[in-house]
Coordinates of all heavy atoms in Angstrom, one line a residue:
R147 N 108.0 55.3 89.6 CA 108.6 55.8 90.7 C 107.8 55.6 92.0 O 108.3 55.3 93.1 CB 108.8 57.3 90.5 CG 109.8 58.0 91.4 CD 109.9 59.5 91.0 NE 110.6 59.6 89.7 CZ 110.0 60.2 88.7 NH1 108.8 60.7 88.8 NH2 110.7 60.4 87.6
A148 N 106.5 55.6 91.9 CA 105.6 55.4 93.0 C 105.7 53.9 93.5 O 105.8 53.6 94.7 CB 104.2 55.7 92.7
R149 N 105.8 53.0 92.5 CA 105.9 51.6 92.9 C 107.2 51.3 93.5 O 107.3 50.5 94.5 CB 105.7 50.7 91.7 CG 104.2 50.7 91.2 CD 104.1 50.0 89.8 NE 102.8 49.9 89.4 CZ 102.4 49.6 88.2 NH1 103.3 49.3 87.3 NH2 101.1 49.6 87.8
A150 N 108.3 51.9 93.0 CA 109.6 51.7 93.5 C 109.6 52.2 95.0 O 110.2 51.5 95.8 CB 110.6 52.3 92.7
R151 N 109.0 53.4 95.2 CA 109.1 53.9 96.5 C 108.3 53.0 97.5 O 108.7 52.8 98.6 CB 108.5 55.3 96.5 CG 108.6 56.1 97.8 CD 108.1 57.5 97.7 NE 109.1 58.3 97.0 CZ 109.0 58.8 95.8 NH1 107.8 58.6 95.2 NH2 109.9 59.5 95.2
G152 N 107.2 52.5 97.0 CA 106.4 51.6 97.9 C 107.1 50.4 98.3 O 107.1 49.9 99.4
R153 N 107.8 49.8 97.3 CA 108.6 48.5 97.6 C 109.7 48.9 98.6 O 110.1 48.1 99.5 CB 109.1 48.0 96.3 CG 108.1 47.3 95.4 CD 108.7 46.5 94.3 NE 109.5 47.3 93.4 CZ 109.0 47.8 92.3 NH1 107.8 47.6 92.0 NH2 109.8 48.5 91.6
A154 N 110.4 50.0 98.4 CA 111.5 50.4 99.2 C 111.1 50.6 100.7 O 111.9 50.3 101.6 CB 112.2 51.6 98.7
R155 N 109.9 51.0 100.9 CA 109.4 51.3 102.3 C 109.1 50.0 103.0 O 109.3 49.9 104.2 CB 108.2 52.2 102.2 CG 108.6 53.6 101.9 CD 107.4 54.5 101.8 NE 107.8 55.9 101.5 CZ 107.0 56.9 101.2 NH1 105.7 56.7 101.2 NH2 107.5 58.1 101.0
G156 N 108.6 49.0 102.3 CA 108.3 47.7 102.9 C 107.5 47.9 104.2 O 106.4 48.3 104.2
A157 N 108.1 47.5 105.3 CA 107.4 47.5 106.6 C 107.5 48.8 107.3 O 107.2 48.9 108.5 CB 108.0 46.4 107.4
S158 N 108.0 49.8 106.6 CA 108.1 51.1 107.3 C 106.8 51.6 107.8 O 105.8 51.4 107.1 CB 108.8 52.1 106.3 OG 108.7 53.4 106.9
E159 N 106.8 52.3 108.9 CA 105.5 52.9 109.4 C 105.2 54.2 108.8 O 104.2 54.8 109.1 CB 105.6 53.0 110.9 CG 105.8 51.6 111.6 CD 105.9 51.8 113.2 OE1 105.9 52.9 113.6 OE2 106.0 50.8 113.8
D160 N 106.1 54.8 107.9 CA 105.8 56.1 107.3 C 104.6 56.0 106.5 O 104.4 55.0 105.7 CB 107.0 56.5 106.5 CG 108.2 56.9 107.4 OD1 108.0 57.0 108.6 OD2 109.3 56.9 106.9

Side-chain angles (χ1 to χ4, degrees):
R147 201 176 287 120
R149 288 173 178 165
R151 187 175 284 114
R153 287 194 297 269
R155 287 178 178 173
S158 172
E159 296 179 358
D160 292 343

